[in-house]
CSV table of all heavy atoms in Angstrom, one decimal:
chain,number,residue,atom,x,y,z
A,1,SER,N,39.8,121.8,87.9
A,1,SER,CA,38.7,122.7,87.5
A,1,SER,C,37.5,122.0,87.2
A,1,SER,O,36.3,122.7,87.2
A,1,SER,CB,39.2,123.4,86.2
A,1,SER,OG,39.2,122.6,85.1
A,2,VAL,N,37.4,120.7,87.1
A,2,VAL,CA,36.2,119.9,86.9
A,2,VAL,C,35.8,119.2,88.2
A,2,VAL,O,35.0,118.4,88.1
A,2,VAL,CB,36.3,119.0,85.6
A,2,VAL,CG1,36.4,119.9,84.4
A,2,VAL,CG2,37.5,118.1,85.8
A,3,ALA,N,36.6,119.4,89.2
A,3,ALA,CA,36.3,118.5,90.4
A,3,ALA,C,35.3,119.1,91.2
A,3,ALA,O,35.4,120.0,92.2
A,3,ALA,CB,37.6,118.5,91.4
A,4,HIS,N,33.9,119.0,90.8
A,4,HIS,CA,32.8,119.4,91.5
A,4,HIS,C,31.8,118.2,91.6
A,4,HIS,O,31.6,117.5,90.6
A,4,HIS,CB,32.2,120.5,90.7
A,4,HIS,CG,31.1,121.3,91.3
A,4,HIS,ND1,29.9,120.9,91.4
A,4,HIS,CD2,31.1,122.5,92.2
A,4,HIS,CE1,29.1,121.7,92.1
A,4,HIS,NE2,29.9,122.6,92.6
A,5,PRO,N,31.0,118.1,92.6
A,5,PRO,CA,30.1,117.1,92.8
A,5,PRO,C,29.0,117.0,91.6
A,5,PRO,O,28.6,115.9,91.2
A,5,PRO,CB,29.4,117.4,94.2
A,5,PRO,CG,30.3,118.2,94.9
A,5,PRO,CD,31.0,118.9,93.9
A,6,PHE,N,28.6,118.1,91.1
A,6,PHE,CA,27.7,118.1,90.0
A,6,PHE,C,28.3,117.8,88.7
A,6,PHE,O,27.7,117.6,87.6
A,6,PHE,CB,26.8,119.4,89.9
A,6,PHE,CG,25.7,119.5,90.8
A,6,PHE,CD1,25.8,120.6,91.8
A,6,PHE,CD2,24.7,118.6,90.9
A,6,PHE,CE1,24.8,120.5,92.7
A,6,PHE,CE2,23.8,118.7,91.9
A,6,PHE,CZ,23.8,119.7,92.7
A,7,VAL,N,29.6,117.6,88.6
A,7,VAL,CA,30.3,117.1,87.4
A,7,VAL,C,30.7,115.7,87.7
A,7,VAL,O,30.5,114.8,86.8
A,7,VAL,CB,31.5,118.0,87.2
A,7,VAL,CG1,32.4,117.3,86.1
A,7,VAL,CG2,31.3,119.4,86.8
A,8,LEU,N,31.2,115.4,88.9
A,8,LEU,CA,31.7,114.1,89.1
A,8,LEU,C,30.7,112.9,89.3
A,8,LEU,O,30.8,111.9,88.8
A,8,LEU,CB,32.6,114.1,90.3
A,8,LEU,CG,34.1,115.0,90.4
A,8,LEU,CD1,34.6,114.9,91.5
A,8,LEU,CD2,34.8,114.4,89.2
A,9,LEU,N,29.7,113.3,90.0
A,9,LEU,CA,28.6,112.3,90.2
A,9,LEU,C,28.0,111.8,88.9
A,9,LEU,O,27.9,110.6,88.7
A,9,LEU,CB,27.5,112.8,91.2
A,9,LEU,CG,27.9,112.8,92.7
A,9,LEU,CD1,26.9,113.6,93.6
A,9,LEU,CD2,28.3,111.6,93.3
A,10,PRO,N,27.5,112.6,88.1
A,10,PRO,CA,26.9,112.2,86.8
A,10,PRO,C,28.0,111.6,86.0
A,10,PRO,O,27.6,110.6,85.3
A,10,PRO,CB,26.5,113.6,86.1
A,10,PRO,CG,26.2,114.6,87.1
A,10,PRO,CD,27.2,114.2,88.2
A,11,ALA,N,29.3,112.0,86.0
A,11,ALA,CA,30.3,111.3,85.2
A,11,ALA,C,30.5,109.9,85.6
A,11,ALA,O,30.6,108.9,84.8
A,11,ALA,CB,31.5,112.2,85.3
A,12,ILE,N,30.5,109.7,87.0
A,12,ILE,CA,30.6,108.4,87.5
A,12,ILE,C,29.4,107.5,87.2
A,12,ILE,O,29.6,106.3,86.8
A,12,ILE,CB,30.8,108.5,89.1
A,12,ILE,CG1,32.2,109.0,89.3
A,12,ILE,CG2,30.7,107.2,89.7
A,12,ILE,CD1,32.3,109.4,90.8
A,13,GLY,N,28.2,108.1,87.3
A,13,GLY,CA,27.1,107.5,86.8
A,13,GLY,C,27.1,107.0,85.3
A,13,GLY,O,26.6,105.9,85.1
A,14,GLN,N,27.6,107.8,84.5
A,14,GLN,CA,27.5,107.4,83.1
A,14,GLN,C,28.6,106.4,82.9
A,14,GLN,O,28.6,105.5,82.0
A,14,GLN,CB,27.9,108.5,82.3
A,14,GLN,CG,26.7,109.6,82.0
A,14,GLN,CD,27.1,110.7,81.1
A,14,GLN,OE1,28.2,111.1,81.0
A,14,GLN,NE2,26.0,111.2,80.4
A,15,ILE,N,29.7,106.5,83.6
A,15,ILE,CA,30.8,105.4,83.4
A,15,ILE,C,30.3,104.0,83.8
A,15,ILE,O,30.5,103.0,83.3
A,15,ILE,CB,32.0,105.9,84.3
A,15,ILE,CG1,32.7,107.0,83.5
A,15,ILE,CG2,33.1,104.6,84.3
A,15,ILE,CD1,33.8,107.8,84.4
A,16,LEU,N,29.6,104.1,85.0
A,16,LEU,CA,29.0,102.7,85.6
A,16,LEU,C,28.0,102.2,84.6
A,16,LEU,O,27.9,100.9,84.3
A,16,LEU,CB,28.3,102.9,86.9
A,16,LEU,CG,29.4,103.3,88.0
A,16,LEU,CD1,28.6,103.5,89.3
A,16,LEU,CD2,30.3,102.0,88.2
A,17,LEU,N,27.2,103.0,83.9
A,17,LEU,CA,26.2,102.7,83.0
A,17,LEU,C,26.9,102.0,81.7
A,17,LEU,O,26.5,101.1,81.2
A,17,LEU,CB,25.3,103.7,82.5
A,17,LEU,CG,24.2,104.1,83.6
A,17,LEU,CD1,23.4,105.2,83.1
A,17,LEU,CD2,23.2,102.9,84.0
A,18,LEU,N,28.1,102.7,81.2
A,18,LEU,CA,28.9,102.1,80.2
A,18,LEU,C,29.5,100.7,80.6
A,18,LEU,O,29.6,99.9,79.7
A,18,LEU,CB,30.0,103.1,79.8
A,18,LEU,CG,29.6,104.4,79.1
A,18,LEU,CD1,30.7,105.4,78.9
A,18,LEU,CD2,29.0,103.9,77.7
A,19,VAL,N,29.9,100.7,81.8
A,19,VAL,CA,30.5,99.4,82.3
A,19,VAL,C,29.5,98.3,82.1
A,19,VAL,O,29.8,97.1,81.7
A,19,VAL,CB,31.0,99.4,83.6
A,19,VAL,CG1,31.3,98.1,84.3
A,19,VAL,CG2,32.3,100.3,83.8
A,20,THR,N,28.2,98.6,82.5
A,20,THR,CA,27.1,97.6,82.4
A,20,THR,C,26.9,97.0,80.9
A,20,THR,O,26.4,96.0,80.7
A,20,THR,CB,25.7,98.0,82.9
A,20,THR,OG1,25.3,99.1,82.1
A,20,THR,CG2,25.8,98.5,84.3
A,21,LEU,N,27.3,98.0,80.0
A,21,LEU,CA,27.1,97.5,78.6
A,21,LEU,C,28.1,96.5,78.1
A,21,LEU,O,27.8,95.8,77.2
A,21,LEU,CB,27.1,98.8,77.7
A,21,LEU,CG,26.1,99.9,77.9
A,21,LEU,CD1,26.4,101.0,76.9
A,21,LEU,CD2,24.7,99.2,77.8
A,22,ILE,N,29.2,96.4,78.8
A,22,ILE,CA,30.1,95.4,78.4
A,22,ILE,C,30.1,94.1,79.3
A,22,ILE,O,30.7,93.1,79.0
A,22,ILE,CB,31.7,95.9,78.4
A,22,ILE,CG1,32.0,96.3,79.9
A,22,ILE,CG2,31.8,97.0,77.3
A,22,ILE,CD1,33.4,96.8,80.0
A,23,GLN,N,29.2,94.2,80.2
A,23,GLN,CA,29.0,93.0,81.2
A,23,GLN,C,28.1,92.0,80.4
A,23,GLN,O,27.2,92.5,79.7
A,23,GLN,CB,28.4,93.3,82.5
A,23,GLN,CG,29.4,94.2,83.4
A,23,GLN,CD,28.7,94.7,84.6
A,23,GLN,OE1,27.4,94.9,84.6
A,23,GLN,NE2,29.3,94.8,85.7
A,24,LYS,N,28.3,90.7,80.7
A,24,LYS,CA,27.5,89.7,80.2
A,24,LYS,C,26.0,89.9,80.6
A,24,LYS,O,24.9,89.9,79.9
A,24,LYS,CB,28.0,88.3,80.4
A,24,LYS,CG,27.2,87.2,79.7
A,24,LYS,CD,27.8,86.0,80.0
A,24,LYS,CE,27.1,84.7,79.1
A,24,LYS,NZ,27.8,83.5,79.3
A,25,GLN,N,25.9,90.1,82.0
A,25,GLN,CA,24.5,90.3,82.6
A,25,GLN,C,24.8,91.6,83.3
A,25,GLN,O,25.5,91.7,84.3
A,25,GLN,CB,24.2,89.3,83.5
A,25,GLN,CG,22.9,89.3,84.4
A,25,GLN,CD,21.7,89.3,83.4
A,25,GLN,OE1,21.8,88.7,82.4
A,25,GLN,NE2,20.6,90.1,83.8
A,26,PRO,N,24.1,92.7,82.8
A,26,PRO,CA,24.2,94.0,83.5
A,26,PRO,C,24.0,94.0,85.0
A,26,PRO,O,23.0,93.5,85.5
A,26,PRO,CB,23.4,94.9,82.6
A,26,PRO,CG,23.0,94.3,81.5
A,26,PRO,CD,23.2,92.8,81.7
A,27,SER,N,24.8,94.7,85.7
A,27,SER,CA,24.7,94.8,87.1
A,27,SER,C,23.5,95.7,87.4
A,27,SER,O,23.7,96.8,87.2
A,27,SER,CB,26.1,95.2,87.7
A,27,SER,OG,25.9,95.5,89.0
A,28,LYS,N,22.7,95.2,88.4
A,28,LYS,CA,21.7,96.0,88.9
A,28,LYS,C,22.2,97.2,89.8
A,28,LYS,O,21.7,98.3,89.7
A,28,LYS,CB,20.5,95.2,89.7
A,28,LYS,CG,19.7,94.4,88.7
A,28,LYS,CD,18.7,93.7,89.6
A,28,LYS,CE,17.9,92.5,88.8
A,28,LYS,NZ,16.9,91.9,89.7
A,29,THR,N,23.1,96.8,90.5
A,29,THR,CA,23.7,97.7,91.3
A,29,THR,C,24.5,98.9,90.7
A,29,THR,O,24.2,100.1,91.0
A,29,THR,CB,24.8,97.1,92.4
A,29,THR,OG1,24.1,95.9,93.1
A,29,THR,CG2,25.4,98.0,93.4
A,30,PHE,N,25.2,98.6,89.5
A,30,PHE,CA,25.7,99.6,88.9
A,30,PHE,C,24.7,100.5,88.2
A,30,PHE,O,24.8,101.7,88.0
A,30,PHE,CB,26.7,99.0,87.9
A,30,PHE,CG,28.1,98.7,88.3
A,30,PHE,CD1,28.3,98.6,89.6
A,30,PHE,CD2,29.0,98.2,87.4
A,30,PHE,CE1,29.6,98.2,90.1
A,30,PHE,CE2,30.2,97.8,87.9
A,30,PHE,CZ,30.5,97.9,89.2
A,31,THR,N,23.6,99.8,87.7
A,31,THR,CA,22.6,100.6,87.0
A,31,THR,C,21.9,101.5,88.0
A,31,THR,O,21.8,102.7,87.7
A,31,THR,CB,21.6,99.5,86.4
A,31,THR,OG1,22.1,98.8,85.5
A,31,THR,CG2,20.3,100.3,85.8
A,32,TYR,N,21.6,101.1,89.3
A,32,TYR,CA,21.0,101.9,90.2
A,32,TYR,C,21.9,103.1,90.6
A,32,TYR,O,21.4,104.2,90.7
A,32,TYR,CB,20.6,101.2,91.4
A,32,TYR,CG,19.4,100.3,91.3
A,32,TYR,CD1,19.2,99.0,91.9
A,32,TYR,CD2,18.3,100.7,90.5
A,32,TYR,CE1,18.1,98.3,91.8
A,32,TYR,CE2,17.2,99.9,90.3
A,32,TYR,CZ,17.1,98.7,90.9
A,32,TYR,OH,15.9,97.8,90.8
A,33,ILE,N,23.1,102.8,90.8
A,33,ILE,CA,24.1,103.8,91.1
A,33,ILE,C,24.2,104.9,90.1
A,33,ILE,O,24.3,106.0,90.3
A,33,ILE,CB,25.4,103.2,91.6
A,33,ILE,CG1,25.4,102.5,92.8
A,33,ILE,CG2,26.5,104.3,91.8
A,33,ILE,CD1,26.6,101.7,93.2
A,34,GLY,N,24.3,104.4,88.9
A,34,GLY,CA,24.3,105.2,87.6
A,34,GLY,C,23.1,106.1,87.5
A,34,GLY,O,23.3,107.4,87.3
A,35,ILE,N,21.9,105.5,87.8
A,35,ILE,CA,20.7,106.3,87.7
A,35,ILE,C,20.8,107.3,88.8
A,35,ILE,O,20.4,108.6,88.7
A,35,ILE,CB,19.5,105.4,87.9
A,35,ILE,CG1,19.2,104.6,86.6
A,35,ILE,CG2,18.2,106.3,88.2
A,35,ILE,CD1,18.1,103.6,86.8
A,36,GLY,N,21.2,107.0,90.0
A,36,GLY,CA,21.3,108.1,91.1
A,36,GLY,C,22.4,109.0,90.8
A,36,GLY,O,21.9,110.3,91.1
A,37,GLY,N,23.4,108.7,90.1
A,37,GLY,CA,24.5,109.8,89.9
A,37,GLY,C,23.9,110.8,89.0
A,37,GLY,O,24.0,112.0,89.0
A,38,ILE,N,23.4,110.3,87.9
A,38,ILE,CA,23.0,111.2,86.8
A,38,ILE,C,21.6,111.9,87.3
A,38,ILE,O,21.3,112.9,87.0
A,38,ILE,CB,22.7,110.4,85.6
A,38,ILE,CG1,24.0,109.9,85.1
A,38,ILE,CG2,22.2,111.3,84.5
A,38,ILE,CD1,23.8,108.7,84.0
A,39,GLY,N,20.8,111.0,88.0
A,39,GLY,CA,19.4,111.5,88.4
A,39,GLY,C,19.5,112.7,89.3
A,39,GLY,O,18.6,113.6,89.2
A,40,ILE,N,20.6,112.8,90.1
A,40,ILE,CA,20.8,114.1,91.0
A,40,ILE,C,20.7,115.4,90.1
A,40,ILE,O,20.0,116.3,90.3
A,40,ILE,CB,22.0,113.9,91.8
A,40,ILE,CG1,21.8,112.9,92.9
A,40,ILE,CG2,22.2,115.3,92.4
A,40,ILE,CD1,23.0,112.5,93.7
A,41,LEU,N,21.6,115.2,89.1
A,41,LEU,CA,21.6,116.5,88.1
A,41,LEU,C,20.4,116.7,87.3
A,41,LEU,O,19.9,117.8,87.1
A,41,LEU,CB,22.8,116.3,87.3
A,41,LEU,CG,23.1,117.2,86.1
A,41,LEU,CD1,23.4,118.6,86.8
A,41,LEU,CD2,24.2,116.9,85.2
A,42,MET,N,19.8,115.5,86.9
A,42,MET,CA,18.5,115.7,86.0
A,42,MET,C,17.4,116.1,86.8
A,42,MET,O,16.5,117.0,86.3
A,42,MET,CB,18.3,114.4,85.3
A,42,MET,CG,19.3,114.0,84.3
A,42,MET,SD,19.8,115.3,83.1
A,42,MET,CE,18.5,114.8,81.9
A,43,LEU,N,17.3,115.7,88.1
A,43,LEU,CA,16.3,116.2,88.9
A,43,LEU,C,16.5,117.7,89.2
A,43,LEU,O,15.5,118.5,89.3
A,43,LEU,CB,16.2,115.4,90.2
A,43,LEU,CG,15.5,114.1,90.1
A,43,LEU,CD1,15.7,113.3,91.4
A,43,LEU,CD2,14.0,114.2,89.8
A,44,LEU,N,17.8,118.1,89.4
A,44,LEU,CA,18.1,119.6,89.6
A,44,LEU,C,17.6,120.3,88.4
A,44,LEU,O,17.0,121.5,88.5
A,44,LEU,CB,19.4,119.8,89.9
A,44,LEU,CG,19.8,121.3,90.2
A,44,LEU,CD1,19.2,121.7,91.5
A,44,LEU,CD2,21.5,121.3,90.3
A,45,ILE,N,17.9,119.8,87.2
A,45,ILE,CA,17.6,120.5,85.9
A,45,ILE,C,16.0,120.5,85.9
A,45,ILE,O,15.4,121.6,85.5
A,45,ILE,CB,18.2,119.8,84.8
A,45,ILE,CG1,19.7,120.0,84.6
A,45,ILE,CG2,17.6,120.2,83.4
A,45,ILE,CD1,20.4,119.2,83.6
A,46,PHE,N,15.3,119.5,86.3
A,46,PHE,CA,13.9,119.5,86.3
A,46,PHE,C,13.4,120.6,87.1
A,46,PHE,O,12.4,121.3,86.8
A,46,PHE,CB,13.3,118.0,86.6
A,46,PHE,CG,11.9,118.1,86.5
A,46,PHE,CD1,11.2,117.7,85.4
A,46,PHE,CD2,11.2,118.1,87.7
A,46,PHE,CE1,9.8,117.6,85.3
A,46,PHE,CE2,9.8,117.9,87.7
A,46,PHE,CZ,9.1,117.7,86.4
């Protein structure tokens, strides 16, 4: 029931951003993918 791109992409983005918080040096790649995943939804809301 929650398997929808506008649910999964932001969730994956948030998970990747959470992963960067436990890394010693936050991954730029994970940060960019996280911004992209969440950004799609936030741009749609905008």
